Amino acid sequence: MLRSRFIVISTHILGWLICISLPWLFNGHTGNSQLLAFALCIVLSVLIEIIHHRWEASNNALHAKASKTRAELSFLKSQLHPHFFFNTLNNIYSLAVSGHEHTARHILKLSNMMRYATDTHHDFVLLQQEIACLHDYIDLQQLRLPGSTQVHFSVSGNPGFKYIAPLLLLPFLENAFRHGVSAMQTTAIHIHLSTTTDHIRFYCSNRLFSHPEDESTTDALLLTRQRLQQLYPDKYQLIISNKNSEYTVRLEICI
């Protein structure tokens, strides 16, 4: 703020000096010339202040937008932590008590997810990191799934050095596992992510055994829509449908 104001004051002074010098530069020493120089000083000062205020307003708007985006990402992280991490810890504890051979592997997956969720401070991360997070999430969720639920996750294309907003896809998976699992009926969750040179496409479908009307689910999906609009304005298409108890998410992002 002080640096910005210093630059504005310096610009004012420089402008005044130039305007005051004009009559002498052009051999004009009359009162009219000096009056004109004074008028130019006033006009220049007004223009400088208008430009400065507009720049500050634009800069403040960008900061507010960035702060809002970070707050929404923090909210998504907080939604993920309680009902997933603690339940997963209980599942891993059961594996440890029974001496399961894959206990250490699942602890590592949980550690990777926690690190990814808590250390992400950027608007965008490598797509490969998001895919790894989805893989870990699915593997950890399968610890509690009944044998009647099958999960199919596939990736096509080359993620390469493509970037995506962190934790952008996870709310859709979380929604599928929360409302698409039944202990009584055979069901499947299908997830597919594909990449091309300039597009990322995500697909998720599941049968709907309970309606996603709880507040946390609604908030997470709403914030995901808002993040898409903020980070990918006019560069994404999100279609969510619920027909015959089949819940489908289709997301396409132009990168």
Side-chain angles (χ1 to χ4, degrees):
M1 181 65 73
L2 290 176
R3 183 173 180 271
S4 173
R5 197 63 210 168
F6 174 77
I7 293 174
V8 171
I9 293 173
S10 300
T11 306
H12 275 298
I13 295 173
L14 180 61
W16 295 338
L17 291 174
I18 292 174
C19 291
I20 292 172
S21 302
L22 288 177
W24 279 267
L25 291 175
F26 295 99
N27 297 319
H29 304 287
T30 65
N32 288 337
S33 297
Q34 293 177 2
L35 185 61
L36 179 60
F38 179 72
L40 286 174
C41 287
I42 295 176
V43 172
L44 183 62
S45 293
V46 172
L47 288 175
I48 290 172
E49 286 297 329
I50 290 174
I51 293 172
H52 176 246
H53 284 303
R54 288 188 176 182
W55 179 83
E56 275 198 335
S58 176
N59 196 42
N60 289 338
L62 289 174
H63 281 299
K65 183 177 179 180
S67 297
K68 183 179 179 183
T69 302
R70 285 192 295 269
E72 290 169 352
L73 180 56
S74 297
F75 176 83
L76 289 175
K77 292 177 182 180
S78 69
Q79 291 297 306
L80 177 66
H81 295 174
H83 70 265
F84 172 72
F85 287 138
F86 291 122
N87 290 341
T88 301
L89 280 172
N90 287 331
N91 293 332
I92 293 176
Y93 173 77
S94 298
L95 293 179
V97 169
S98 63
H100 198 283
E101 61 178 324
H102 296 305
T103 301
R105 182 169 64 88
H106 285 103
I107 291 175
L108 180 61
K109 288 180 178 294
L110 181 61
S111 174
N112 290 338
M113 275 206 70
M114 292 179 69
R115 184 180 299 108
Y116 181 68
T118 57
D119 288 352
T120 300
H121 303 294
H122 305 286
D123 287 341
F124 297 95
V125 296
L126 283 171
L127 177 59
Q128 190 58 55
Q129 291 179 267
E130 185 79 357
I131 293 173
C133 179
L134 299 183
H135 272 295
D136 289 340
Y137 181 83
I138 292 170
D139 287 346
L140 292 172
Q141 281 285 16
Q142 287 181 317
L143 292 176
R144 69 172 184 86
L145 292 182
S148 56
T149 300
Q150 299 295 317
V151 181
H152 306 282
F153 179 36
S154 59
V155 177
S156 62
N158 181 16
F161 290 99
K162 297 178 178 64
Y163 287 83
I164 191 171
L167 300 176
L168 185 67
L169 305 178
L170 203 57
F172 300 122
L173 262 67
E174 189 176 16
N175 186 66
F177 280 100
R178 184 176 297 181
H179 304 286
V181 174
S182 172
M184 306 298 295
Q185 300 184 46
T186 300
T187 184
I189 298 174
H190 297 275
I191 307 142
H192 180 68
L193 189 148
S194 63
T195 64
T196 61
T197 304
D198 52 4
H199 283 85
I200 297 174
R201 295 182 177 89
F202 175 80
Y203 170 85
C204 182
S205 70
N206 59 275
R207 287 188 62 187
L208 205 60
F209 294 100
S210 63
H211 293 283
E213 296 174 348
D214 58 281
E215 190 171 317
S216 60
T217 299
T218 302
D219 287 344
L221 293 179
L222 176 62
L223 286 178
T224 299
R225 286 183 180 273
Q226 292 175 353
R227 290 183 70 209
L228 283 166
Q229 184 59 37
Q230 290 169 4
L231 298 171
Y232 301 98
D234 303 321
K235 292 184 178 181
Y236 80 95
Q237 183 178 36
L238 175 62
I239 300 174
I240 299 178
S241 63
N242 179 14
K243 295 181 180 179
N244 301 321
S245 296
E246 187 75 17
Y247 193 84
T248 304
V249 175
R250 290 183 174 87
L251 172 63
E252 181 174 334
I253 301 173
C254 180
I255 54 174

